[in-house]
Amino acid sequence: MKPTLTLFERELRSYFATPVAYVFIVIFLLLSGAFTFYLGRFYERGQADLDPFFQFHPWLYLFLVPAVAMRLWADERKSGTIELLLTLPITMGQAVLAKFLAAWSFVALALALTFPIWITVNYLGDPDNGVIVTGYLGSLLMAGAYLAIGACLSAATRSQVVAFILSVVVCFLFLLAGFPLVLDAFRAIAPQGLVDAIAGLSFLSHFNGISRGVIDLRDLIYFLLTIGFWLYANAIVIDLKKAD
């Protein structure tokens, strides 16, 4: 456990060693506010809730989270420090987990800094704060799923740009799987069981319920299994690529 914690702390500190982390947080907060108050028509709706805030998170994360994940392993491979990392007394699983948790903590910090929006809605009305808490939980789990995909694809290449593009494409496919237009197209040519299976892979299908305050164990398990699967694939990719 100690090697994992040591690497976790090193990785988390590295985010704040350059201006990139602060730029990311500022962009995240600005876009969250713009989407909530302008595109989401926060004031015009006349309802004290954070639906407009969470509604745009799947699309906001589509570009911002891969930007965080792209450096996780691609930078280590390009600089050659991955060989040094793998010689340390730490298992592959511990290294993958430590890097993922550090990146997830960084995204969680950015998400936590949106608390003024939560305070604003409480000032203006009497929202159901339980629903808002589950919305934050769902958002954090979804960000973790995006991040696990990005980490795995970052391990497959030395280029951060390639890792970013691949992550956006794969994450976009996971979003499209639950988009009504896509599901309607499949309903015309595929049995309902296959359509349900495709919808079951989507981030949207599992996030929408949680963001509305509905805690379904299947949604929680989906995100945890998705994170676990991609982190396992991450370790396999590093093992296969370490000889390159």
Side-chain angles (χ1 to χ4, degrees), residues 93-212:
Q94 289 173 328
V96 169
L97 184 62
K99 278 179 164 286
F100 169 77
L101 290 178
W104 202 11
S105 298
F106 173 68
V107 175
L109 173 63
L111 182 61
L113 290 176
T114 62
F115 72 91
I117 299 177
W118 190 352
I119 293 175
T120 299
V121 77
N122 273 275
Y123 176 77
L124 295 175
D126 186 23
D128 186 337
N129 286 305
V131 173
I132 294 176
V133 169
T134 60
Y136 271 101
L137 172 64
S139 180
L140 186 60
L141 287 171
M142 185 173 59
Y146 275 108
L147 202 54
I149 292 173
C152 179
L153 296 174
S154 174
T157 175
R158 297 173 185 271
S159 169
Q160 293 189 37
V161 175
V162 173
F164 173 79
I165 294 172
L166 288 176
S167 300
V168 170
V169 170
V170 173
C171 290
F172 186 53
L173 291 177
F174 270 88
L175 277 181
L176 280 184
F179 208 61
L181 184 63
V182 175
L183 294 178
D184 289 342
F186 274 101
R187 282 193 184 95
I189 59 174
Q192 186 59 39
L194 179 59
V195 175
D196 292 341
I198 294 171
L201 292 174
S202 172
F203 292 156
L204 286 178
S205 302
H206 296 280
F207 173 67
N208 287 340
I210 301 176
S211 68
R212 295 191 183 101

